[in-house]
Amino acid sequence: MSLHYSDNSTYLERLPPELQCQILKNLPDMKSLHALLRASPRYFQVYRASQGTILSHVGWNYISPAIVPIALQALKQRNGNLRGSNRIRPFPPQTTLKEPNEISFKIWKKLLRFHVIVENFISKFTSSRLVPLENSFHLQTKSSLPHEASGRRLSLSQLEYARLARAFYNLDLYGNPSDDNDIVPCFLHRLQDWELEELLCVRSFLMERLKDFLNKFDDDFMEAFLKDMPHIIWPPEKTPVWFWEIGLLSNRGRPWLQDSWIEGYLTRGLKTLSAIFSTDTLPDKFRVFENRRRIGYLTTQAYIFQALNDIPIPSEQELAAKMKSAEIGFYDDLEEPNEAWFWAMKVGGHPRNQSKGVPCAGWDTNNLQCWGYVIWDHERLKRLGILTKSPSDVVSSIGTDWRIKRSPMSLEERTKEQEEIWSREGRISTLTEPRPMFDWESAFQSNPSLLGKDAIVRNSHTDRPDSPTR
């Protein structure tokens, strides 16, 4: 005779505290832990009696043993660097951990708080990349689609989740030591080639998110501009009063200054990026641009792609041996590349060869990175039939319409166009004195939350750059 749910619940409540503690320690994630503690006062008592032990084990399961060392590395690097100083401590050695109790309760709490940010990015990446991929091949099923609203990873296998977590933590680590340009290639050199591709996949995603932020700022600015009309931002034959404050939104600022701005924020870490993407109001978005002054402009060594040029490509013999090994017996593993890595290499060669000008007809690695080709596991790639097609056919099937791009017109063009309309209607005079659009210093002093501890001056460029740094 099977037990009903209520009987099971009563049985679990009557277990000895030692067994209840074991149940809590083996929960897969924090959400499950919180749900059980809210539902059962008895289990809450057991948790309070062994909080440190239980939390460390659940955290170990939640982040995953393979990712905990790199998560701890990212946390130590973030806390250890002296922001705003040219003295950066050496990149920490790879941490080796075998048991969750090797990490203190205090550190576990910090790790779990930061992993919430990482998991949110994983969820956004999944909905942004996986849905178009599934839809493109007309094989979507209810179980394969991401459940972004629930914040869970139901659509991802453990292996896919771990690869994405590793990629986002690596990007956070890339941003932390890159205050010293010489350290950037050193950090990237420590990664396996497929781990570099994972990093570039999430970089592509975050670049689109930052472009989306700029698009929303343009729209919010124009909405406020139209509500407060008519007026002009600058008189004829004079530099716009806001050009040097938001120069990247002007005609001259596209695209080089925008590229520098985006690359700069990619090195600010996931916590800062999360704060940027959470801004709602126009004043809060203005403060992000004020942050640009303090960050400054990047030198070319701090760009990921330029840094990759300094990393040697494996020899043809090494690549051939790796390919042959995969053909003999492929095994999906976190410490090895996925099948799509070999699939792309077989046709186009090493991805960094393409970045150095070696052609591959019909596609390039950027078109593969945009949908996260090195992230997905064997089961998903096989079900979608991707590995039976050529990379160029896959790129063609997925297309680019779903990707976020910058608005075709700059904010300067949009405001000028509107002012010309008002001028033709006789609603403004070209002699009107420009009105200041925003009190930058007051706004910065009143709410510097987006600047925080992470902002530094990268270079001593003036706030009025006359030429690009790229």
Side-chain angles (χ1 to χ4, degrees), residues 140-176:
Q140 58 177 321
T141 63
K142 184 176 180 180
S143 61
S144 68
L145 291 178
H147 298 260
E148 180 188 1
S150 67
R152 297 180 180 180
R153 45 177 166 164
L154 297 179
S155 62
L156 297 176
S157 67
Q158 289 184 349
L159 185 56
E160 292 171 334
Y161 183 88
R163 284 175 178 150
L164 276 174
R166 176 171 64 189
F168 279 110
Y169 277 118
N170 276 333
L171 186 132
D172 195 73
L173 279 166
Y174 155 75
N176 273 289

Side-chain angles (χ1 to χ4, degrees), residues 27-31 58-64 67 115 119 122-123 126 130 143-148 150-162 164-165 380:
L27 290 174
D29 52 48
M30 297 303 296
K31 190 168 185 176
V58 175
W60 187 262
N61 301 333
Y62 174 45
I63 300 176
S64 87
I67 302 302
H115 193 71
E119 184 160 69
I122 291 174
S123 177
T126 302
L130 188 54
S143 61
S144 68
L145 291 178
H147 298 260
E148 180 188 1
S150 67
R152 297 180 180 180
R153 45 177 166 164
L154 297 179
S155 62
L156 297 176
S157 67
Q158 289 184 349
L159 185 56
E160 292 171 334
Y161 183 88
L164 276 174
R380 189 182 305 280

Side-chain angles (χ1 to χ4, degrees), residues 249-268:
L249 300 174
S250 68
N251 293 338
R252 288 177 59 189
R254 294 167 68 111
W256 69 266
L257 192 53
Q258 288 187 22
D259 290 345
S260 180
W261 184 86
I262 289 173
E263 289 282 359
Y265 269 106
L266 286 176
T267 67
R268 294 299 85 214

Side-chain angles (χ1 to χ4, degrees), residues 425-440:
E425 294 173 349
R427 303 174 70 181
I428 61 174
S429 168
T430 57
L431 299 178
T432 305
E433 286 297 320
R435 188 189 67 181
M437 295 304 298
F438 198 74
D439 186 349
W440 290 96

Side-chain angles (χ1 to χ4, degrees), residues 10 35 42 61 98 121 173 177 180 249 256 295 325 338 343 346 354 360 367 377 417 426-428 434:
T10 302
R42 173 59 181 161
N61 301 333
K98 295 182 179 180
F121 278 111
L173 279 166
D180 183 339
L249 300 174
W256 69 266
I295 290 177
S325 175
N338 74 341
W343 164 79
K346 188 174 182 179
Q354 295 184 38
C360 182
N367 290 330
D377 64 12
E417 183 179 71
R427 303 174 70 181
I428 61 174

Side-chain angles (χ1 to χ4, degrees), residues 134-252:
E134 295 275 354
N135 290 343
S136 298
F137 292 94
H138 309 290
L139 289 172
Q140 58 177 321
T141 63
K142 184 176 180 180
S143 61
S144 68
L145 291 178
H147 298 260
E148 180 188 1
S150 67
R152 297 180 180 180
R153 45 177 166 164
L154 297 179
S155 62
L156 297 176
S157 67
Q158 289 184 349
L159 185 56
E160 292 171 334
Y161 183 88
R163 284 175 178 150
L164 276 174
R166 176 171 64 189
F168 279 110
Y169 277 118
N170 276 333
L171 186 132
D172 195 73
L173 279 166
Y174 155 75
N176 273 289
S178 64
D179 301 334
D180 183 339
N181 293 322
D182 293 334
I183 297 180
V184 182
C186 295
F187 164 65
L188 297 178
H189 185 79
R190 293 183 55 188
L191 302 181
Q192 298 285 352
D193 280 345
W194 56 89
E195 292 177 321
L196 290 171
E197 283 295 291
E198 293 170 357
L199 176 64
L200 293 175
C201 287
V202 300
R203 171 188 178 271
S204 174
F205 160 72
L206 290 172
M207 287 183 71
E208 289 187 23
R209 291 291 305 276
L210 287 167
K211 290 176 183 178
D212 187 52
F213 170 84
L214 294 176
N215 289 340
K216 290 177 179 177
F217 177 86
D218 288 354
D219 293 340
D220 290 350
F221 186 99
M222 287 305 299
E223 182 180 355
F225 185 68
L226 292 171
K227 284 182 180 179
D228 204 17
M229 52 76 78
H231 65 270
I232 62 174
I233 296 182
W234 63 86
E237 301 178 358
K238 285 190 177 182
T239 302
V241 296
W242 53 276
F243 176 82
W244 299 118
E245 304 294 357
I246 325 175
L248 59 95
L249 300 174
S250 68
N251 293 338
R252 288 177 59 189

